Amino acid sequence: MKSIKTYTVEEAKRRLENYCAYQERCHKEVVKKLQGMRMIPEAIDVVVVHLLEHDFLNETRFAKTYVRGKFRVKKWGKRRLELELKKREISRFNRLEAFKEISEADYLSTFHALAEKKAESIRETNPLKKKKKLADYLLYRGWESHLVYDKVHELIK
């Protein structure tokens, strides 16, 4: 029978320090990782407090980094970002702080560039189907519906 590796609190602290130093993490990811290491709830609390005290774990920093990264790389809109942060149980205050990382000008210019690029790439002759494909694409990426529908009507006649 395969033996399951067990960890002391000190070993868990070191492992999670490396885990958090490699990439920003939210509390939920850290707790899930510790549960996967079969740590008891009391030990999980001790490790999380240690990570917080030594600034390995910082939810505000995580939220800001997450929003900046997903916006710049994946071109996600605010609705999608909000949903993903809520899924990770990030507080309302930290979500609002994170959205300050995106300037309104950057947000709109990214949206317009993404919409125009996608509209050009859709190989559909029926204008209604083309509008639907473009709208679905932009809505899935989390852009606000009023922006999406205005842009779809502007680009596809």
Side-chain angles (χ1 to χ4, degrees):
M1 191 168 129
K2 185 181 174 200
S3 65
I4 296 166
K5 172 116 173 81
T6 56
Y7 298 89
T8 65
V9 171
E10 287 307 310
E11 288 172 332
K13 283 180 185 178
R14 301 299 155 250
R15 292 258 332 241
L16 271 292
E17 282 177 2
N18 290 333
Y19 182 67
C20 293
Y22 175 74
Q23 174 183 319
E24 288 295 336
R25 309 283 181 181
C26 66
H27 288 56
K28 191 174 179 179
E29 289 171 320
V30 169
V31 170
K32 191 173 181 180
K33 177 84 167 169
L34 287 164
Q35 288 169 341
M37 293 167 66
R38 299 187 179 276
M39 301 296 287
I40 61 172
E42 291 80 5
I44 290 174
D45 292 344
V46 169
V47 174
V48 168
V49 167
H50 168 80
L51 294 171
L52 287 166
E53 286 174 347
H54 292 83
D55 209 29
F56 284 99
L57 192 56
N58 181 325
E59 205 154 78
T60 306
R61 194 174 60 211
F62 167 80
K64 288 180 175 185
T65 305
Y66 187 85
V67 165
R68 269 194 319 267
K70 296 298 182 189
F71 173 70
R72 290 210 175 99
V73 176
K74 292 195 172 190
K75 312 267 188 272
W76 284 359
K78 287 181 181 173
R79 288 180 58 232
R80 175 82 181 263
L81 291 166
E82 177 84 12
L83 188 73
E84 295 292 332
L85 290 174
K86 279 182 181 176
K87 201 187 295 182
R88 287 166 177 75
E89 298 171 7
I90 304 300
S91 70
R92 177 170 163 70
F93 172 80
N94 285 332
R95 292 194 311 262
L96 293 173
E97 283 298 304
F99 284 122
K100 292 177 184 173
E101 295 291 300
I102 305 171
S103 76
E104 197 61 31
D106 277 351
Y107 189 71
L108 292 173
S109 68
T110 299
F111 170 72
H112 294 302
L114 181 68
E116 286 160 13
K117 184 177 177 187
K118 184 64 179 176
E120 288 172 19
S121 73
I122 298 173
R123 298 286 161 239
E124 179 63 63
T125 52
N126 182 332
L128 287 176
K129 287 184 181 176
K130 188 171 182 173
K131 281 182 179 184
K132 182 180 179 351
K133 283 185 179 185
L134 179 58
D136 288 349
Y137 173 82
L138 294 170
L139 291 169
Y140 175 75
R141 283 212 149 36
W143 296 93
E144 291 86 339
S145 54
H146 69 277
L147 288 174
V148 169
Y149 294 119
D150 289 349
K151 193 66 176 176
V152 165
H153 294 304
E154 174 193 320
L155 291 174
I156 304 166
K157 302 289 184 230

